[in-house]
Amino acid sequence: MTHLPELISDLALILIAAGITTLVFKKLKQPLVLGYIVAGFLAGPHFDLFFTVAGKDNIHTWAEIGIIFLLFALGLEFSLKKLSSVGHTAVITAITEVLSMLVIGYGAAQLMGWNVMDSIFLGGMLSMSSTTIIIKAFDDLKLKGQRFTELVFGSLIVEDIAGIVMMVMLSTMAGSAEVSELHMLASLAKLSFFLILWFLMGIFIIPIFFRYVRKDMNDETMLIVALGMCLGMVVLANYIGFSSALGAFITGSILSGTRESDRIEHLLAPVKDLFGAVFFVSVGMMVDPAHLVTYAFPIFVVVIATIIGKLIFSSLGLLLSGEDLKTSLQGGFSLAQIGEFAFIIAGLGLSLGITSDFIYPIVVAVSVITTFTTPFFVGLAAPAHTYLQQKLPTAAKDFLDRYTSETPASEKKDRDWRAFLKQYFTTLVIHSVILTAIVFLAFSYGPLISRNIPGVLGITIETIVPLVLMSPFLKDLLFNKNSRPELVATLWFKKKNYRLPLLVLLLLRVVIAIAFILVILFKFLPIHPILTLLLAFAIANFIYSSDWLLGQYLRLEASFIINLNEKHLRERKLLATSSGQNNQSYWLDQELHIAMLRLDGVPNCTGRMLKDLGFREKIGVNIIQIIRGGKHIDMPGGKVTLKDCDTLIILGTEAQIKLFCDTYGKGFTELHERITLRDFVMQQSEQHESSPLLCCAIVVDEKSDLIGKSIKDSEIRDEWHCLVLGLERGVYTTINPHISLIFQKNDILWVIGKQEMIGELAREDLL
């Protein structure tokens, strides 16, 4: 008879115990997580009445596998889109709760005489609320859909991110004999760099991979590929020095933005349920009843600290974010428990051998107790609000009403700055990470080139190759392209005091770009520093002047946006189709408006050419027609000079037209109410204009001469007298695309022009 490996017999025992206890807990209408923990306790080495696991080391192995698949599934439910939608309320609430509970947990442990590492880990465990338990409580109480429940779910998303960061930081602390502030900052910087790099590479590579192999992907292959990606990233993260849980979460997060995410999530559900059950059963196996009796007092202290601390500080976080007292209390009372992440953090400390054995059963006991108390406290929020309303002084209630109902003037005033800075630093950080990664690759593989190709040729290759790879991103930094030029224009014209900070920020991007060039040149070119500096400026000037490089960058940017938002954009397009809207009416009519303005002696406009005024570059609007003395100048070029009493037909988004009027409004008179582009075209048709303006689409098929050309090279404006309005690439659309954007197969280009020009385009087979 062959010997059965202990791993298999232990797995059989785990699943049988889990199946029986979960059936019982379903009958009792209790959370399955508690059933799994009880099953683990019954099958564990500390309870001898029934069969027990043969190998204690196997418990940790199963727990590690369970953590990987739980975090992978959590990543699939997370996305950057979801994170951006939770808003500042969830961020403020989560940060307030996490930081406060870290302090409370650490302080409580220190008062009980625990060592520093146990105290830090306890703070981390108490800062995480339980998504599973909260969802179960909301379902049972039929509370889903209310405002406070949405805020709670948003806070849990931010807490999950904080938990991942916390696990990495705790792992770093565990691996260092002496942890200094500088070491912690270096670890955090390393984490941030690799997180951004992994997300960028994943967003560039994985959606494109799925696009090419989608036809050959049946369910079996899809599941294998997804699990392979997950475990591959786990190995890579572990190799670099991060936890396996981080690698699994990152893979799930990257996949969550693809079209295949729902399918992967559906296929992964049985695997997640299986290994999730194994994980929670393994948690129960580590519970020692003797510890529960011995540490009854610490369990009581931690339960009280958890409930009271989370009730107070979660509610306070919601209040600080501007929510009213009732909503704040409902949200705060819902978050008063610990759950899955506490187990994961406790398991991390135990596996690293840096926390005491008694912490695990204490955390499990606290989780079980707070699980049972959660529905009670959710129901207690309304009576607590009524009580506080009766007891709070009138002055305090008036203050809360004012604080939660008014938007601070400073917030309204600085909204444009916040939008600009958010876009500015997002672009700067992403580009810096990509450029730094290219520099690291050049430093790693450059010596291989010089060894195999000695002399000037080898030096030239190892210098030029990284510069070529970096050039599209350097182009964007040097060119200072802004996809929302109205932000810069708004700040530039709002106050003269804003102009110096804007110039400094724009100059900073140029300095950073030149610094990256210098790093490569100083590393590989053995020439005088002054010559190196001059060469760096010459290279920067060449990159700045290259329209081709800008086109390549814009192509990369469009691919990035498509991949990042593929799932969301496709869902939005399907929604538009199902509601009976075609693509044109969906994005073009809603976004583009027409305004008719008469020029009444504006000093900085009258007598100047359109190319010098730069309305499109600065604000984003287009002049599609100038009416002068009863004559029409259609699609005026850059050399057309404005004169007094000219009537300008301006095309742009509602925000862009508003900015134009705010900036130049004192010298312009608005003649008619603003209308959409479609209404404008229809009005011309109804008025029987002799040569009306028409809006149409150019489809770039495989035979088109436009493929590989930029908008500028296509000469659509100069030769055909048509203005480019927008470009549709798959599920992605952009308004007023830059003239350096390069056409690809299946692009749809929206243009506006005179009827005869549109007819000419049709005859040339461009339409």
Side-chain angles (χ1 to χ4, degrees), residues 187-251:
S187 299
L188 191 59
K190 179 184 176 184
L191 169 65
S192 302
F193 173 80
F194 279 106
L195 278 178
I196 295 171
L197 184 61
W198 280 333
F199 274 111
L200 291 175
M201 293 300 99
I203 289 167
F204 269 117
I205 296 170
I206 292 178
I208 294 174
F209 167 76
F210 278 129
R211 232 171 273 146
Y212 277 104
V213 301
R214 185 170 288 129
K215 294 179 181 178
D216 302 317
M217 281 277 192
N218 57 19
D219 288 350
E220 178 185 358
T221 309
M222 179 64 74
L223 180 61
I224 292 171
V225 168
L227 293 180
M229 287 180 177
C230 171
L231 296 176
M233 183 62 82
V234 165
V235 173
L236 179 60
N238 191 66
Y239 175 77
I240 294 174
F242 298 128
S243 68
S244 57
L246 177 65
F249 180 81
I250 288 171
T251 310

Side-chain angles (χ1 to χ4, degrees), residues 28-55:
L28 298 175
K29 296 183 178 179
Q30 296 301 319
L32 292 184
V33 173
L34 294 181
Y36 292 141
I37 293 171
V38 172
F41 171 70
L42 295 176
H46 304 294
F47 191 83
D48 298 329
L49 187 59
F50 303 113
F51 293 106
T52 59
V53 292

Side-chain angles (χ1 to χ4, degrees), residues 274-537:
L274 170 64
F275 287 103
V278 169
F279 168 70
F280 288 115
V281 170
S282 68
V283 169
M285 288 180 175
M286 297 177 191
V287 176
D288 188 344
H291 283 165
L292 298 181
V293 176
T294 304
Y295 296 101
F297 177 71
I299 290 172
F300 174 77
V301 171
V302 175
V303 167
I304 297 301
T306 300
I307 293 175
I308 294 179
K310 284 180 173 283
L311 287 179
I312 293 173
F313 289 103
S314 298
S315 301
L316 179 62
L318 285 162
L319 272 176
L320 290 174
S321 67
E323 295 298 323
D324 59 71
L325 182 61
K326 183 178 181 180
T327 302
S328 300
L329 290 173
Q330 287 175 318
F333 278 49
S334 301
L335 291 164
Q337 78 290 121
I338 61 173
E340 313 86 71
F341 243 117
F343 301 150
I344 294 172
I345 294 174
L348 174 67
L350 207 59
S351 65
L352 294 172
I354 57 171
T355 56
S356 304
D357 293 340
F358 62 81
I359 289 184
Y360 214 109
I362 287 177
V363 169
V364 172
V366 172
S367 176
V368 170
I369 294 170
T370 54
T371 296
F372 284 115
T373 59
T374 295
F376 170 74
F377 280 106
V378 172
L380 198 61
H385 172 254
T386 303
Y387 176 80
L388 285 176
Q389 284 289 87
Q390 294 172 352
K391 297 297 181 180
L392 280 177
T394 303
K397 289 191 286 187
D398 291 342
F399 171 76
L400 287 175
D401 289 339
R402 288 196 305 272
Y403 180 81
T404 58
S405 62
E406 295 178 359
T407 302
S410 59
E411 183 180 337
K412 294 178 181 177
K413 179 181 177 182
D414 297 335
R415 190 173 294 160
D416 293 327
W417 263 116
R418 285 203 307 274
F420 170 75
L421 292 175
K422 178 182 177 182
Q423 185 178 42
Y424 176 89
F425 283 108
T426 299
T427 303
L428 188 64
V429 168
I430 289 175
H431 283 34
S432 298
V433 167
I434 294 174
L435 292 170
T436 302
I438 295 173
V439 169
F440 282 158
L441 285 174
F443 283 13
S444 300
Y445 294 101
L448 294 176
I449 297 174
S450 58
R451 281 199 297 267
N452 291 286
I453 309 177
V456 176
L457 180 59
I459 294 174
T460 303
I461 292 174
E462 66 183 359
T463 305
I464 290 178
V465 169
L467 288 175
V468 169
L469 294 175
M470 295 163 66
S471 57
F473 308 101
L474 293 172
K475 171 66 178 181
D476 189 50
L477 288 177
L478 291 167
F479 188 70
N480 292 320
K481 183 192 72 66
N482 195 311
S483 58
R484 292 181 62 191
E486 68 271 13
L487 283 176
V488 178
T490 299
L491 294 169
W492 185 269
F493 290 111
K494 183 180 285 187
K495 277 188 178 181
K496 289 186 178 180
N497 294 341
Y498 289 169
R499 297 182 181 182
L500 181 60
L502 281 172
L503 289 173
V504 170
L505 288 171
L506 297 177
L507 181 62
L508 175 63
R509 292 176 56 157
V510 176
V511 171
I512 291 174
I514 294 176
F516 275 107
I517 297 174
L518 284 171
V519 167
I520 295 295
L521 296 181
F522 277 125
K523 175 67 177 178
F524 297 116
L525 277 187
I527 59 176
H528 194 277
I530 295 179
L531 292 177
T532 304
L533 189 62
L534 292 174
L535 180 59
F537 278 103

Side-chain angles (χ1 to χ4, degrees), residues 80-130:
L80 295 175
K81 194 73 183 176
K82 187 182 290 186
L83 180 61
S84 65
S85 68
V86 299
H88 73 284
T89 299
V91 174
I92 293 173
T93 303
I95 291 175
T96 304
E97 180 191 353
V98 169
L99 294 179
S100 301
M101 294 311 298
L102 278 169
V103 174
I104 289 173
Y106 180 86
Q110 287 289 288
L111 289 174
M112 291 186 291
W114 295 10
N115 63 44
V116 173
M117 197 57 69
D118 286 347
S119 303
I120 292 173
F121 267 77
L122 181 65
M125 296 172 211
L126 299 192
S127 63
M128 298 286 107
S129 296
S130 172

